[in-house]
Amino acid sequence: MEDPMSSTGQPWTIETICEALGNPTLSKRFLGEINKAPAHRLLAVFARWERIATDTVTAVERGREIAAAEARGEDPTADWPDITDRVRMEAQRIGSRNVA
């Protein structure tokens, strides 16, 4: 199995996760969890924060793409599907389960 890669194309490390989080408070929380994790939990803690870092990098990149599109006068949401009705139906379905 290949190692997941960071946005730099390198395997994730504690250092690259801290950098990707982009927030000193989150980095401190990550370091605290990784430092306090028992040996048998280290990989799980690392994997969870790796996912958080990946999601953060993806969101930042998407935000930059949206900003660039807006700067060019484009509507970055033009190709986004409208799922409003689906979300409402799901909310009604969930709400009706809790009524009984």
Side-chain angles (χ1 to χ4, degrees):
M1 184 174 143
E2 283 187 40
D3 289 335
M5 300 293 175
S6 68
S7 61
T8 63
Q10 300 297 315
W12 285 106
T13 64
I14 290 174
E15 181 179 22
T16 59
I17 289 174
C18 284
E19 290 170 1
L21 293 172
N23 178 300
T25 303
L26 280 178
S27 294
K28 186 175 180 179
R29 183 172 164 193
F30 162 62
L31 290 172
E33 286 185 25
I34 211 75
N35 285 325
K36 293 175 185 171
H40 70 281
R41 295 278 306 138
L42 272 173
L43 188 55
V45 171
F46 187 89
R48 185 170 75 81
W49 281 96
E50 179 182 64
R51 282 188 303 276
I52 293 168
T54 299
D55 291 347
T56 301
V57 168
T58 300
V60 167
E61 289 171 356
R62 183 67 179 138
R64 287 180 180 146
E65 290 170 4
I66 290 169
E70 286 179 339
R72 293 188 302 268
E74 299 171 4
D75 178 5
T77 64
D79 63 345
W80 293 0
D82 184 354
I83 61 167
T84 304
D85 292 335
R86 189 172 80 200
V87 170
R88 285 185 182 142
M89 287 174 36
E90 181 68 12
Q92 287 175 345
R93 185 182 68 75
I94 292 169
S96 67
R97 283 192 318 208
N98 297 330
V99 172

